[in-house]
Each structure stands twice: as C-alpha cells, then as structure tokens.
Amino acid sequence: MTSTASSERMAVLEQVRAAALAAAASGETWPDVIAGLLSEIDATWQESAEVCADVAWHARTAGNSALLVLHPEQIAQPAPDLITGRAHRHLHLAGLRYDFRCPSIEAFFHRMPPSVVSHLDTYSRAMWAFALLGQSRTDGLELMDTVLAEADDHPKTLQVLLHGLWLGHRLPGREERILRLLDRPPFAERMDPIALFRKAGALRGLGNYRKALDTIDQALDLLPPGDAAVHADLVRERSLITAADDWARPTRPSDASAQR
C-alpha cells in the first residue's frame, strides 16, 4: 500500500471512529451501527479492533457499556457475515476486559462452536490470552506467545496482552515479559503514560525502585489533566514503589535503637 493510499485509509478510519463514537451515545442499537460502518469499509480485524476498543471504552465511561446491549448467547454463534460478527465480538470482549471480567471472557470462548473458535482473529485470541493471564494461568503465557508471533506489533493487540500480564500474579517471568513487550515499537516509539505505569510496576517487581520511581513520575507528568481515575492509579503505584523501597532498605543501627 502506498503512503497516499495509507493516508486515505487512515482518514476513512478516523471518520468511522468519529461516527461510531457518536452512535455509542445515541441509543441501544449502537453496536449494530458500528458493525454496519465497519462493513461499509470492509474493515480488517486490525481496523475493527482499533475502532471497537476505543468506542467500547467511551461507551462504558458514558454508562452505555456494550455489556448492556450485547449478550454472549447472541454473539458466540456464527454471524450473518464475518465483519459484523467480529465487530460485535470485539465490542463485547472489550467491555468485559475493561471491567476485568476474566472468567466471563474465558467462559465466552468456551461457549463458542468449534467452527467459530478455529477462525478467530488475532485480536480476539489476544483477549482469550488476557483472560487466562488475568487469572494468573501459565497457559495464558503459551497463548500469548502464539498471538505475538502473528500480531505484527499491532498496538491494540499488544495493549491487551500487556494488560493481562499486569493483572496476573506470580506468573513466571512476568516482569521481564512486560518489559520486553514495552520494548516493541508501538510502545518504544512514543511516550504513553499507561505504558509507563505498567513499566513502573514491572520495575518495582524486579526491585529496581529508583528506575521505577523515575518512570512513574514521568507517567504522572505526561498524563493529560482531568483523568482523575488514572491519576489515582498512578499515585497508588508511586506509593507502592516508595513503600517497597523503604522496606528493602536495611535498618540503620540508630533506627533499631530508637525502636527499643
């Protein structure tokens, strides 16, 4: 694809995203509107993921979550056409992910007929890996590696995997895997406060408190004003870093004497 054609496609996708965001605030049928918009441009799975992830987040914050209008029994079955079925699935899975409903995501995939599971797109399978990783399951690491081999550094897919690793607990090599993901181009080439937040947590887990503190301070500095919930998460991480650093420092003799 030439640079001109690529720019034109990006412009079309931005128009679809804007129309989708407007639809998400307009009524109960907004997932069908979005599926229709994506069908009109013959969207790829990557483009569907880009639009659906963003719209699902905005709909959720506006109190109109995809989970209120899309039901697992409806979208686990084969759809009339590939793009519609994929869009509904992406919206529903994004809604579950943003609510941290890992068991529900796993149950959703187990409800699917084998004919649907065998043709899942890479982003959908990243959601499956997220569900397993979020439950601290080592089979999630295996699925994550499979997804990474074919994701071609797709940003939304890598964000899902990074989120799953961050949510998991005591997974072998968890912190090192987070840092390796963050070295990939979608993260390494731009300063993202959420990515830096994940990085700070990984560095804290590895005991590199000085670098973790520098990283979370950078994330706080880059966070746009007005996002109170994310700011609270970042401040909480900073407190965890400083507490872990203080705990790791050996007690000085004078301190020990003062405590007796």
Side-chain angles (χ1 to χ4, degrees):
M1 183 180 291
T2 66
S3 59
T4 301
S6 177
S7 298
E8 290 176 352
R9 186 65 176 181
M10 289 178 63
V12 169
L13 199 60
E14 282 305 313
Q15 292 173 358
V16 169
R17 182 183 280 105
L21 288 170
S26 65
E28 293 186 357
T29 62
W30 65 267
D32 293 330
V33 175
I34 292 168
L37 291 167
L38 292 171
S39 295
E40 286 178 10
I41 66 168
D42 195 23
T44 64
W45 69 262
Q46 295 94 330
E47 292 168 341
S48 177
E50 293 286 339
V51 171
C52 292
D54 292 344
V55 176
W57 175 260
H58 285 283
R60 177 181 180 270
T61 57
N64 197 20
S65 170
L67 303 183
L68 298 173
V69 291
L70 286 172
H71 304 288
E73 297 78 9
Q74 170 192 355
I75 56 178
Q77 301 303 316
D81 67 90
L82 172 65
I83 296 177
T84 296
R86 186 171 60 201
H88 284 168
R89 184 169 65 244
H90 285 175
L91 289 168
H92 183 71
L93 289 171
L96 291 171
R97 173 197 160 207
Y98 294 143
D99 283 356
F100 291 9
R101 299 188 185 187
C102 296
S104 294
I105 294 176
E106 185 181 9
F108 173 77
F109 284 109
H110 288 309
R111 190 180 291 116
M112 286 183 173
S115 60
V116 177
V117 173
S118 62
H119 291 89
L120 286 172
D121 62 278
T122 304
Y123 182 72
S124 293
R125 287 191 291 115
M127 288 288 194
W128 198 340
F130 164 82
L132 300 176
L133 293 168
Q135 297 176 83
S136 306
R137 299 252 297 275
T138 54
D139 48 347
L141 296 174
E142 299 171 11
L143 182 53
M144 183 187 85
D145 289 339
T146 301
V147 170
L148 284 173
E150 59 190 55
D152 195 27
D153 282 343
H154 177 244
K156 294 296 186 186
T157 301
L158 265 58
Q159 287 169 6
V160 168
L161 297 173
L162 181 63
H163 191 190
L165 279 173
W166 172 82
L167 191 59
H169 181 62
R170 293 192 180 277
L171 288 166
R174 170 182 172 271
E175 287 80 10
E176 292 85 355
R177 283 175 176 269
I178 288 175
L179 295 178
R180 284 200 298 271
L181 269 182
L182 290 169
D183 280 338
R184 289 179 174 247
F187 301 116
E189 293 174 357
R190 65 190 182 93
M191 303 305 292
D192 180 339
I194 300 300
L196 290 170
F197 165 58
R198 312 279 194 226
K199 182 177 182 178
L203 291 168
R204 171 171 57 84
L206 292 172
N208 193 341
Y209 304 122
R210 180 70 262 172
K211 193 170 182 180
L213 190 60
D214 290 343
T215 301
I216 199 66
D217 284 345
Q218 188 179 19
L220 283 162
D221 193 51
L222 290 171
L223 187 69
D227 199 335
V230 176
H231 185 270
D233 287 340
L234 269 58
V235 170
R236 189 178 304 111
E237 176 59 42
R238 194 182 195 283
S239 297
L240 289 172
I241 293 167
T242 55
D245 188 20
D246 289 342
W247 183 263
R249 291 176 184 272
T251 303
R252 297 193 302 272
S254 57
D255 293 339
S257 300
Q259 293 173 9
R260 286 199 293 268

